[in-house]
Amino acid sequence: MTDSESRSGGEPIHRTGEQKHDVTQTFGHDSDLSFVPFGVELTDVEQSAIAALPAGSALLLVRSGALAGARYLLDTDVTTVGRHPEADIFFDDVTVSRRHAEITRSGSSFEIIDQRSLNGTYVNGERVDRSALVDGSELRVGKFRLNFFASPADRSAANG
């Protein structure tokens, strides 16, 4: 029996020196991809950060993943999200594609656009190619879950 025949049980054969560091891994079949909203229990600090947002900006709060608690200000017309070190929002995890998604701003409206990522981009539990973001939207990029919050100045203008 040759070495390759002895390993025919479906297991991949790993050889030293063949490591590929630039590969996005897919979620396993056992991963829980069901949508269970986190709810929007905000700390006083998070509430203050949202209240202080200038018009035309928004905030992303990381809810789960290695960066839980991180906050990202969205105040440009295009914000890139991915595993590429030059991404505006850098998620160093194999479940995130190098160029995973973009968040675009038009006036005070924001939209997320998936960049043909392997694991997809989700808004409120739905896989999307593109989706408008509204206050409280929950995003999932790889294994990271985030909440989107618009500037209160823009919310009051929209409601006024």
Side-chain angles (χ1 to χ4, degrees), residues 37-42 59-63 72 124 134 136-139 145-149:
F38 276 104
V40 188
E41 299 89 31
L42 298 171
L59 194 66
L60 279 180
L61 300 177
V62 181
R63 297 306 210 180
Y72 294 97
N124 297 329
V134 297
S137 290
E138 183 181 300
L139 313 177
R145 290 172 73 173
L146 310 97
N147 281 115
F148 171 89
F149 295 97

Side-chain angles (χ1 to χ4, degrees), residues 40 42-54 57-61 63 71 135-136 147-153 155:
V40 188
L42 298 171
T43 66
D44 290 343
V45 171
E46 290 168 338
Q47 288 176 5
S48 297
I50 293 165
L53 287 171
S57 67
L59 194 66
L60 279 180
L61 300 177
R63 297 306 210 180
R71 299 188 302 246
D135 203 49
N147 281 115
F148 171 89
F149 295 97
S151 167
R155 275 186 272 150

